[in-house]
Amino acid sequence: MKKFLFWFLAVVVTLVLSIYQRMTGPTHPKTITVELNDLGYKMKLPRSGVRQDVKVVLKDAPSDVSGQLHYRRFPTADEYTTVDFEWKDEQWVAVLPVQPVGGKLQYYVTFDGIDYPGDEPPVIRFRNDVPAGILIPHILLMFAAMLFAVYTLLLVIARREYSKWLKITVATLFIGGFIFGPLVQHAAFGPWWTGFPFGTDLTDNKTLLSFLFFLAALATLKWKHNKWVVCLAVLFMIAIFTIPHSAFGSEYDYSTQQLGTAK
């Protein structure tokens, strides 16, 4: 019964952290509400695009309104380019033009003279398509690493044998983060690694730091106070995995026409 409870708690914690990271990440679409004729219409503004033109769509809205899409390259001091929304297939559609790998566009929309969103305009980043054969294993393995880490922590708290699950956590984190992680990075943007010492990619850096903490826990496995090192490693992993995914990642520099990492 306790084993089931431990796994249940581990799954709940992992799901909460995964959903939080996804919802707060810079690639998650920004949802706005467009007010038309005293009614509100939800609209999702994409913040990640594969290397092709990206449609910005307003659904279920009336056809007798006017709308514009304004965009510029980011980060630059370019003037905004404005294009009109077109009424197609019972919805309003405008298009963001494809950019180089890592290229970004900052944009906002206007309907009936009102700009949306009212705060900081969203930024969309373009990437190559990532084959499912490497993307899905990467996601599943990183999810599993967090799951096994939390389960290991619960075993430590319950004063049960945890060394087996610590080793499984380290192995899963290594395969997911340092084998499939670089494969995904390479497929999406070109470079294999954009964390320390080559760049500022928080996804790569937080994976590296977390792995070092778990290596320390594994190296001190025979130490009588090892459980505290394990607790620190897991809690550190939980803390840094609340950092939004893909922050400070690959970014195309329009001035040099080269790919780097966001400053």
Side-chain angles (χ1 to χ4, degrees), residues 29-108:
K30 183 180 182 68
T31 301
I32 61 173
T33 300
V34 177
E35 300 288 340
L36 297 171
N37 300 334
D38 297 324
L39 294 175
Y41 299 89
K42 295 291 184 182
M43 183 178 187
K44 289 186 176 181
L45 303 180
R47 294 196 289 178
S48 179
V50 179
R51 284 262 294 147
Q52 59 186 10
D53 293 346
V54 174
K55 292 181 179 179
V56 180
V57 178
L58 176 61
K59 300 179 180 180
D60 304 320
S63 60
D64 59 345
V65 298
S66 64
Q68 295 80 38
L69 171 67
H70 317 272
Y71 64 86
R72 66 178 179 183
R73 299 181 302 175
F74 181 89
T76 70
D78 292 354
E79 295 292 329
Y80 279 98
T81 297
T82 299
V83 296
D84 290 330
F85 274 87
E86 298 182 7
W87 182 251
K88 295 181 179 179
D89 300 323
E90 303 299 315
Q91 58 188 10
W92 288 103
V93 180
V95 174
L96 292 167
V98 63
Q99 298 298 298
V101 172
K104 296 179 178 180
L105 293 176
Q106 186 174 45
Y107 70 101
Y108 65 96

Coordinates of all heavy atoms in Angstrom, one line a residue, residues 29-108:
P29 N 1.8 29.1 -26.3 CA 1.0 30.2 -26.9 C 0.4 31.1 -25.8 O 0.1 30.7 -24.8 CB -0.1 29.4 -27.6 CG 0.4 28.1 -27.9 CD 1.3 27.8 -26.7
K30 N 0.4 32.4 -26.2 CA -0.2 33.4 -25.3 C -1.6 33.6 -25.7 O -2.0 33.8 -26.8 CB 0.6 34.8 -25.5 CG 0.1 35.9 -24.6 CD 0.9 37.1 -24.8 CE 0.4 38.2 -23.8 NZ 0.8 38.0 -22.4
T31 N -2.5 33.4 -24.7 CA -3.9 33.6 -24.9 C -4.4 35.0 -24.6 O -4.1 35.5 -23.5 CB -4.7 32.5 -24.1 OG1 -4.3 31.2 -24.4 CG2 -6.2 32.6 -24.3
I32 N -5.1 35.6 -25.5 CA -5.7 36.9 -25.3 C -7.2 36.9 -25.6 O -7.7 35.9 -26.1 CB -5.1 38.0 -26.2 CG1 -5.3 37.6 -27.7 CG2 -3.6 38.1 -26.0 CD1 -4.9 38.7 -28.7
T33 N -7.9 37.9 -25.1 CA -9.3 38.0 -25.4 C -9.6 39.3 -26.2 O -9.3 40.4 -25.8 CB -10.1 38.1 -24.1 OG1 -9.9 36.9 -23.3 CG2 -11.6 38.2 -24.3
V34 N -10.1 39.1 -27.4 CA -10.4 40.2 -28.3 C -11.9 40.6 -28.1 O -12.8 39.7 -28.2 CB -10.1 39.7 -29.8 CG1 -10.5 40.9 -30.7 CG2 -8.7 39.4 -30.0
E35 N -12.1 41.8 -27.8 CA -13.4 42.4 -27.6 C -14.0 42.9 -28.9 O -13.5 43.8 -29.5 CB -13.4 43.5 -26.5 CG -12.9 43.0 -25.2 CD -13.8 42.1 -24.4 OE1 -15.0 42.2 -24.8 OE2 -13.4 41.4 -23.5
L36 N -15.1 42.3 -29.4 CA -15.8 42.7 -30.6 C -17.3 42.7 -30.4 O -17.9 41.7 -30.0 CB -15.4 41.7 -31.8 CG -14.0 41.6 -32.2 CD1 -13.8 40.5 -33.2 CD2 -13.5 42.9 -32.8
N37 N -17.9 43.9 -30.7 CA -19.3 44.0 -30.5 C -19.8 43.6 -29.1 O -20.8 42.8 -29.0 CB -20.1 43.2 -31.6 CG -19.7 43.6 -33.0 OD1 -19.3 44.8 -33.2 ND2 -19.8 42.7 -33.9
D38 N -19.0 44.0 -28.1 CA -19.4 43.7 -26.7 C -19.3 42.3 -26.3 O -19.8 41.9 -25.3 CB -20.8 44.3 -26.4 CG -20.9 45.8 -26.5 OD1 -19.9 46.5 -26.2 OD2 -22.0 46.2 -27.0
L39 N -18.6 41.5 -27.1 CA -18.4 40.1 -26.8 C -16.9 39.8 -26.8 O -16.1 40.4 -27.6 CB -19.1 39.2 -27.8 CG -20.6 39.2 -27.8 CD1 -21.2 38.3 -28.9 CD2 -21.2 38.7 -26.4
G40 N -16.4 38.8 -26.0 CA -15.0 38.5 -26.0 C -14.8 37.2 -26.7 O -15.5 36.2 -26.6
Y41 N -13.7 37.2 -27.5 CA -13.3 36.0 -28.3 C -11.8 35.6 -28.0 O -10.9 36.4 -28.1 CB -13.4 36.3 -29.8 CG -14.8 36.6 -30.2 CD1 -15.3 38.0 -30.2 CD2 -15.7 35.7 -30.7 CE1 -16.6 38.3 -30.6 CE2 -17.0 36.0 -31.0 CZ -17.4 37.3 -31.0 OH -18.7 37.6 -31.4
K42 N -11.7 34.4 -27.5 CA -10.3 33.9 -27.2 C -9.5 33.7 -28.4 O -10.0 33.2 -29.5 CB -10.4 32.6 -26.4 CG -11.1 32.6 -25.1 CD -10.3 33.4 -24.1 CE -10.9 33.4 -22.7 NZ -10.1 34.2 -21.7
M43 N -8.2 34.1 -28.3 CA -7.3 34.0 -29.5 C -5.9 33.6 -28.9 O -5.4 34.1 -28.0 CB -7.2 35.3 -30.2 CG -6.3 35.3 -31.4 SD -6.3 37.0 -32.2 CE -5.4 36.6 -33.7
K44 N -5.4 32.6 -29.6 CA -4.0 32.1 -29.2 C -3.0 32.6 -30.1 O -3.1 32.5 -31.3 CB -4.0 30.6 -29.2 CG -4.8 29.9 -28.0 CD -4.6 28.4 -28.0 CE -5.3 27.8 -26.8 NZ -5.1 26.3 -26.7
L45 N -2.0 33.3 -29.5 CA -0.9 33.8 -30.3 C 0.3 32.9 -30.2 O 0.9 32.7 -29.1 CB -0.5 35.2 -29.8 CG -1.6 36.2 -29.8 CD1 -1.1 37.6 -29.2 CD2 -2.2 36.4 -31.2
P46 N 0.7 32.2 -31.3 CA 1.8 31.2 -31.2 C 3.1 31.8 -30.8 O 3.4 33.0 -31.2 CB 1.8 30.6 -32.6 CG 1.2 31.6 -33.5 CD 0.1 32.3 -32.6
R47 N 4.0 31.1 -30.1 CA 5.3 31.6 -29.7 C 6.4 30.6 -30.1 O 7.5 30.8 -29.7 CB 5.3 31.9 -28.2 CG 4.4 33.1 -27.8 CD 4.8 33.6 -26.4 NE 4.4 32.7 -25.4 CZ 4.6 32.9 -24.1 NH1 5.2 34.0 -23.7 NH2 4.2 32.0 -23.2
S48 N 6.0 29.6 -30.9 CA 7.0 28.7 -31.5 C 6.5 28.2 -32.8 O 5.3 27.9 -33.0 CB 7.2 27.5 -30.5 OG 8.1 26.6 -31.1
G49 N 7.4 28.2 -33.8 CA 7.0 27.8 -35.1 C 8.0 27.0 -35.8 O 9.2 27.3 -35.7
V50 N 7.6 25.9 -36.5 CA 8.5 25.2 -37.4 C 8.8 26.0 -38.6 O 8.1 27.0 -38.9 CB 7.8 23.8 -37.8 CG1 8.7 23.0 -38.7 CG2 7.5 23.0 -36.5
R51 N 9.8 25.7 -39.3 CA 10.3 26.6 -40.4 C 9.4 26.6 -41.6 O 9.6 26.1 -42.7 CB 11.7 26.1 -40.9 CG 12.8 26.4 -39.9 CD 13.6 27.6 -40.3 NE 14.3 27.3 -41.6 CZ 14.5 28.2 -42.5 NH1 14.1 29.4 -42.4 NH2 15.2 27.8 -43.6
Q52 N 8.3 27.4 -41.4 CA 7.3 27.7 -42.4 C 6.5 28.9 -41.9 O 6.6 29.3 -40.8 CB 6.4 26.5 -42.7 CG 5.6 26.0 -41.5 CD 4.9 24.8 -41.7 OE1 5.1 24.1 -42.8 NE2 4.0 24.4 -40.8
D53 N 5.8 29.5 -42.8 CA 4.9 30.6 -42.4 C 3.9 30.1 -41.4 O 3.4 29.0 -41.4 CB 4.1 31.1 -43.6 CG 5.0 31.8 -44.7 OD1 6.2 32.1 -44.4 OD2 4.5 32.0 -45.8
V54 N 3.7 31.0 -40.4 CA 2.8 30.6 -39.3 C 1.5 31.5 -39.3 O 1.6 32.7 -39.4 CB 3.5 30.9 -37.9 CG1 2.6 30.6 -36.7 CG2 4.8 30.0 -37.8
K55 N 0.4 30.8 -39.3 CA -0.9 31.4 -39.3 C -1.2 32.0 -37.9 O -1.1 31.2 -36.9 CB -2.0 30.5 -39.8 CG -1.8 30.1 -41.3 CD -3.0 29.2 -41.7 CE -2.9 28.9 -43.2 NZ -4.0 28.0 -43.6
V56 N -1.8 33.2 -37.8 CA -2.3 33.7 -36.6 C -3.8 33.8 -36.9 O -4.3 34.5 -37.8 CB -1.8 35.1 -36.3 CG1 -2.4 35.7 -35.0 CG2 -0.2 35.0 -36.2
V57 N -4.6 33.1 -36.1 CA -6.0 32.9 -36.4 C -7.0 33.4 -35.3 O -6.7 33.1 -34.1 CB -6.3 31.4 -36.7 CG1 -7.8 31.2 -37.0 CG2 -5.4 30.9 -37.8
L58 N -8.0 34.0 -35.6 CA -9.1 34.4 -34.7 C -10.4 33.6 -35.2 O -10.9 33.9 -36.3 CB -9.4 35.9 -34.7 CG -10.6 36.3 -33.9 CD1 -10.4 36.0 -32.4 CD2 -10.8 37.8 -34.0
K59 N -10.8 32.7 -34.4 CA -12.0 31.9 -34.7 C -13.3 32.4 -34.1 O -13.3 33.1 -33.1 CB -11.8 30.4 -34.3 CG -10.5 29.8 -34.9 CD -10.4 28.4 -34.4 CE -9.2 27.7 -35.0 NZ -9.0 26.3 -34.5
D60 N -14.4 32.0 -34.7 CA -15.8 32.3 -34.2 C -16.1 33.8 -34.0 O -17.0 34.1 -33.3 CB -15.9 31.6 -32.8 CG -15.6 30.1 -32.9 OD1 -16.0 29.5 -33.9 OD2 -15.0 29.6 -32.0
A61 N -15.3 34.6 -34.7 CA -15.6 36.0 -34.6 C -16.5 36.5 -35.7 O -16.6 35.8 -36.8 CB -14.3 36.8 -34.6
P62 N -17.1 37.7 -35.6 CA -18.0 38.2 -36.7 C -17.1 38.6 -37.9 O -15.9 38.9 -37.8 CB -18.6 39.4 -36.1 CG -17.8 39.8 -34.9 CD -17.2 38.5 -34.4
S63 N -17.7 38.5 -39.1 CA -17.0 38.8 -40.3 C -17.0 40.3 -40.7 O -16.3 40.7 -41.7 CB -17.7 38.0 -41.5 OG -19.0 38.4 -41.6
D64 N -17.7 41.1 -39.9 CA -17.8 42.5 -40.3 C -16.9 43.4 -39.4 O -17.3 44.5 -39.0 CB -19.3 43.0 -40.2 CG -19.8 42.8 -38.7 OD1 -19.2 42.1 -38.0 OD2 -20.9 43.4 -38.4
V65 N -15.7 42.9 -39.1 CA -14.7 43.7 -38.4 C -13.4 43.9 -39.2 O -13.3 43.2 -40.2 CB -14.4 43.1 -37.0 CG1 -15.7 43.0 -36.2 CG2 -13.8 41.7 -37.2
S66 N -12.5 44.7 -38.7 CA -11.3 44.9 -39.4 C -10.1 44.5 -38.5 O -10.2 44.8 -37.3 CB -11.1 46.3 -39.9 OG -11.0 47.2 -38.8
G67 N -9.1 43.8 -39.0 CA -8.0 43.4 -38.2 C -6.7 43.5 -38.9 O -6.6 43.4 -40.1
Q68 N -5.6 43.8 -38.1 CA -4.3 43.9 -38.7 C -3.3 43.1 -37.8 O -3.5 43.0 -36.6 CB -3.8 45.4 -38.8 CG -4.6 46.2 -39.8 CD -5.9 46.7 -39.2 OE1 -6.0 47.0 -38.0 NE2 -6.9 46.7 -40.0
L69 N -2.3 42.6 -38.5 CA -1.2 41.9 -37.8 C 0.1 42.8 -38.0 O 0.4 43.2 -39.1 CB -0.9 40.5 -38.3 CG 0.3 39.8 -37.9 CD1 0.2 39.4 -36.4 CD2 0.5 38.5 -38.7
H70 N 0.8 43.1 -36.9 CA 2.0 43.9 -36.9 C 3.2 43.1 -36.4 O 3.1 42.5 -35.3 CB 1.8 45.1 -36.0 CG 0.5 45.8 -36.2 ND1 0.2 46.8 -37.1 CD2 -0.7 45.7 -35.5 CE1 -1.0 47.2 -37.0 NE2 -1.6 46.5 -36.0
Y71 N 4.2 43.0 -37.1 CA 5.4 42.2 -36.7 C 6.7 42.9 -37.1 O 6.8 43.7 -38.0 CB 5.3 40.8 -37.3 CG 5.4 40.7 -38.8 CD1 6.6 40.7 -39.5 CD2 4.2 40.7 -39.6 CE1 6.7 40.7 -40.8 CE2 4.3 40.7 -41.0 CZ 5.6 40.6 -41.6 OH 5.6 40.6 -43.0
R72 N 7.8 42.5 -36.3 CA 9.1 43.0 -36.7 C 10.1 41.9 -36.2 O 9.8 41.1 -35.3 CB 9.4 44.3 -36.0 CG 9.5 44.3 -34.5 CD 9.8 45.7 -33.9 NE 9.9 45.7 -32.5 CZ 10.1 46.8 -31.8 NH1 10.3 47.9 -32.4 NH2 10.1 46.7 -30.4
R73 N 11.3 41.9 -36.7 CA 12.3 41.0 -36.3 C 12.8 41.3 -34.9 O 12.8 42.5 -34.5 CB 13.5 41.0 -37.3 CG 13.2 40.7 -38.7 CD 14.4 40.7 -39.6 NE 15.0 42.0 -39.6 CZ 16.2 42.3 -40.2 NH1 16.8 41.4 -40.9 NH2 16.6 43.5 -40.2
F74 N 13.1 40.3 -34.1 CA 13.5 40.5 -32.7 C 14.8 39.8 -32.4 O 15.0 38.7 -32.9 CB 12.3 39.9 -31.8 CG 12.6 40.0 -30.4 CD1 12.2 41.2 -29.7 CD2 13.3 39.1 -29.6 CE1 12.4 41.3 -28.3 CE2 13.5 39.2 -28.3 CZ 13.1 40.3 -27.6
P75 N 15.7 40.4 -31.7 CA 15.6 41.8 -31.1 C 16.2 42.8 -32.0 O 17.4 42.8 -32.3 CB 16.4 41.7 -29.8 CG 17.4 40.6 -30.1 CD 16.8 39.7 -31.1
T76 N 15.4 43.6 -32.6 CA 15.9 44.7 -33.5 C 15.1 46.0 -33.2 O 14.1 45.9 -32.5 CB 15.8 44.3 -35.0 OG1 14.4 44.3 -35.4 CG2 16.4 42.9 -35.3
A77 N 15.6 47.0 -33.9 CA 14.9 48.3 -33.8 C 14.0 48.5 -35.1 O 13.7 49.6 -35.4 CB 15.8 49.4 -33.6
D78 N 13.8 47.5 -35.8 CA 13.0 47.6 -37.0 C 11.6 48.2 -36.8 O 11.0 48.0 -35.7 CB 12.8 46.2 -37.7 CG 14.1 45.6 -38.2 OD1 15.1 46.2 -38.2 OD2 14.0 44.4 -38.6
E79 N 11.1 48.8 -37.8 CA 9.7 49.3 -37.7 C 8.8 48.1 -37.9 O 9.2 47.1 -38.6 CB 9.4 50.3 -38.8 CG 10.2 51.6 -38.7 CD 9.8 52.4 -37.5 OE1 8.6 52.3 -37.1 OE2 10.6 53.1 -36.9
Y80 N 7.6 48.1 -37.4 CA 6.7 47.0 -37.5 C 6.1 47.0 -39.0 O 5.8 48.1 -39.5 CB 5.5 47.2 -36.6 CG 5.8 46.7 -35.2 CD1 6.1 47.6 -34.2 CD2 5.7 45.4 -34.8 CE1 6.4 47.1 -32.9 CE2 5.9 44.9 -33.6 CZ 6.3 45.8 -32.6 OH 6.5 45.4 -31.3
T81 N 6.0 45.8 -39.5 CA 5.3 45.6 -40.8 C 3.9 45.2 -40.5 O 3.6 44.4 -39.6 CB 6.0 44.5 -41.6 OG1 7.4 44.8 -41.9 CG2 5.2 44.2 -42.9
T82 N 3.0 45.8 -41.2 CA 1.5 45.6 -41.0 C 0.9 44.9 -42.2 O 1.1 45.3 -43.3 CB 0.8 46.9 -40.7 OG1 1.4 47.5 -39.5 CG2 -0.7 46.7 -40.5
V83 N 0.1 43.8 -41.9 CA -0.6 43.2 -42.9 C -2.1 43.0 -42.4 O -2.3 42.9 -41.2 CB -0.1 41.8 -43.2 CG1 1.3 41.9 -43.9 CG2 0.0 40.9 -42.0
D84 N -3.0 42.9 -43.3 CA -4.4 42.8 -42.9 C -4.8 41.4 -42.7 O -4.3 40.4 -43.3 CB -5.3 43.4 -44.0 CG -5.2 44.9 -44.1 OD1 -5.0 45.5 -43.1 OD2 -5.4 45.4 -45.3
F85 N -5.7 41.1 -41.7 CA -6.3 39.8 -41.5 C -7.3 39.6 -42.7 O -7.9 40.5 -43.2 CB -7.1 39.7 -40.2 CG -6.2 39.3 -39.1 CD1 -5.5 40.3 -38.3 CD2 -6.1 38.0 -38.7 CE1 -4.7 39.9 -37.3 CE2 -5.3 37.6 -37.6 CZ -4.6 38.6 -36.9
E86 N -7.4 38.4 -43.2 CA -8.3 38.0 -44.2 C -9.3 37.0 -43.7 O -9.0 36.2 -42.9 CB -7.5 37.4 -45.4 CG -6.5 38.4 -46.1 CD -5.8 37.7 -47.3 OE1 -6.2 36.6 -47.7 OE2 -4.9 38.3 -47.8
W87 N -10.5 37.2 -44.2 CA -11.6 36.3 -43.8 C -11.6 35.0 -44.7 O -11.9 35.1 -45.9 CB -13.0 37.0 -44.0 CG -14.2 36.2 -43.6 CD1 -15.1 35.7 -44.4 CD2 -14.5 35.9 -42.2 NE1 -16.1 35.0 -43.6 CE2 -15.7 35.1 -42.3 CE3 -14.0 36.2 -41.0 CZ2 -16.4 34.6 -41.2 CZ3 -14.7 35.7 -39.8 CH2 -15.8 34.9 -39.9
K88 N -11.2 33.9 -44.1 CA -11.1 32.6 -44.8 C -11.7 31.5 -44.0 O -11.4 31.4 -42.8 CB -9.6 32.3 -45.1 CG -8.9 33.3 -46.1 CD -7.5 32.8 -46.3 CE -6.7 33.7 -47.2 NZ -5.3 33.3 -47.5
D89 N -12.5 30.7 -44.6 CA -13.1 29.5 -44.0 C -13.7 29.9 -42.6 O -13.5 29.2 -41.6 CB -12.0 28.4 -43.8 CG -11.4 28.0 -45.1 OD1 -12.2 27.9 -46.1 OD2 -10.2 27.7 -45.1
E90 N -14.5 31.0 -42.6 CA -15.2 31.4 -41.4 C -14.3 31.8 -40.2 O -14.7 31.6 -39.1 CB -16.2 30.3 -41.0 CG -17.2 29.8 -42.0 CD -18.1 30.9 -42.5 OE1 -18.6 31.6 -41.6 OE2 -18.3 31.1 -43.7
Q91 N -13.1 32.3 -40.5 CA -12.2 32.8 -39.5 C -11.3 33.8 -40.1 O -11.1 33.9 -41.3 CB -11.4 31.6 -38.9 CG -10.6 30.9 -39.9 CD -9.9 29.6 -39.4 OE1 -10.2 29.2 -38.3 NE2 -9.0 29.0 -40.1
W92 N -10.7 34.6 -39.2 CA -9.8 35.7 -39.6 C -8.4 35.1 -39.5 O -8.0 34.5 -38.5 CB -9.9 36.9 -38.6 CG -11.1 37.7 -38.9 CD1 -12.3 37.7 -38.1 CD2 -11.4 38.6 -39.9 NE1 -13.2 38.5 -38.6 CE2 -12.7 39.1 -39.8 CE3 -10.7 39.0 -41.1 CZ2 -13.3 40.0 -40.6 CZ3 -11.2 39.9 -41.9 CH2 -12.5 40.4 -41.7
V93 N -7.6 35.3 -40.6 CA -6.3 34.7 -40.7 C -5.3 35.7 -41.2 O -5.5 36.5 -42.2 CB -6.3 33.5 -41.7 CG1 -4.9 32.9 -41.8 CG2 -7.3 32.4 -41.3
A94 N -4.1 35.8 -40.6 CA -3.0 36.5 -41.1 C -1.7 35.7 -40.9 O -1.8 34.7 -40.1 CB -2.8 37.9 -40.3
V95 N -0.7 36.0 -41.6 CA 0.5 35.1 -41.6 C 1.8 35.8 -41.2 O 2.1 36.9 -41.6 CB 0.7 34.5 -43.1 CG1 2.0 33.7 -43.1 CG2 -0.5 33.7 -43.4
L96 N 2.5 35.1 -40.3 CA 3.9 35.6 -39.9 C 4.9 34.9 -40.9 O 4.8 33.7 -41.0 CB 4.2 35.2 -38.5 CG 3.4 36.0 -37.4 CD1 3.6 35.3 -36.1 CD2 3.8 37.4 -37.3
P97 N 5.7 35.6 -41.5 CA 6.6 35.0 -42.5 C 7.7 34.2 -41.8 O 8.2 34.5 -40.7 CB 7.2 36.2 -43.2 CG 7.2 37.3 -42.2 CD 5.9 37.1 -41.5
V98 N 8.1 33.1 -42.5 CA 9.1 32.2 -41.9 C 10.5 33.0 -41.7 O 10.8 33.9 -42.5 CB 9.3 31.0 -42.8 CG1 9.8 31.4 -44.2 CG2 10.3 30.0 -42.2
Q99 N 11.2 32.6 -40.7 CA 12.5 33.2 -40.4 C 13.6 32.2 -40.4 O 13.3 31.0 -40.4 CB 12.4 33.9 -39.0 CG 11.4 35.0 -38.9 CD 11.7 36.2 -39.8 OE1 12.7 36.8 -39.7 NE2 10.8 36.4 -40.8
P100 N 14.8 32.6 -40.4 CA 15.9 31.6 -40.2 C 15.8 30.8 -38.9 O 15.1 31.2 -38.0 CB 17.2 32.5 -40.2 CG 16.8 33.8 -40.8 CD 15.3 33.9 -40.5
V101 N 16.5 29.7 -38.9 CA 16.5 28.8 -37.7 C 16.9 29.7 -36.5 O 18.0 30.3 -36.5 CB 17.4 27.6 -37.8 CG1 17.5 26.9 -36.5 CG2 16.8 26.7 -38.9
G102 N 16.1 29.7 -35.4 CA 16.5 30.6 -34.3 C 16.0 32.0 -34.4 O 16.1 32.8 -33.5
G103 N 15.5 32.4 -35.6 CA 15.0 33.7 -35.8 C 13.7 34.0 -35.1 O 12.9 33.0 -34.8
K104 N 13.5 35.2 -34.7 CA 12.3 35.6 -33.8 C 11.6 36.7 -34.4 O 12.2 37.6 -35.1 CB 12.7 35.9 -32.4 CG 13.4 34.7 -31.6 CD 13.8 35.1 -30.2 CE 14.4 34.0 -29.4 NZ 14.7 34.4 -28.1
L105 N 10.3 36.8 -34.2 CA 9.5 37.9 -34.6 C 8.7 38.3 -33.4 O 8.1 37.5 -32.7 CB 8.5 37.5 -35.7 CG 9.1 37.3 -37.1 CD1 8.0 36.8 -38.1 CD2 9.8 38.5 -37.7
Q106 N 8.6 39.6 -33.1 CA 7.8 40.2 -32.1 C 6.5 40.7 -32.8 O 6.7 41.4 -33.9 CB 8.5 41.3 -31.3 CG 7.7 41.8 -30.2 CD 8.5 42.8 -29.3 OE1 9.2 43.7 -29.9 NE2 8.5 42.7 -28.0
Y107 N 5.4 40.5 -32.3 CA 4.2 40.9 -33.0 C 3.0 41.2 -32.0 O 3.0 40.7 -30.9 CB 3.8 39.8 -34.0 CG 3.3 38.5 -33.4 CD1 1.9 38.3 -33.4 CD2 4.1 37.5 -32.9 CE1 1.4 37.1 -32.9 CE2 3.6 36.4 -32.4 CZ 2.3 36.1 -32.4 OH 1.8 34.9 -31.9
Y108 N 2.0 41.9 -32.6 CA 0.7 42.1 -31.9 C -0.4 42.2 -33.0 O -0.1 42.3 -34.2 CB 0.8 43.3 -31.0 CG 1.0 44.6 -31.7 CD1 -0.1 45.5 -32.0 CD2 2.3 45.1 -32.0 CE1 0.1 46.7 -32.6 CE2 2.4 46.3 -32.7 CZ 1.3 47.1 -32.9 OH 1.5 48.3 -33.6

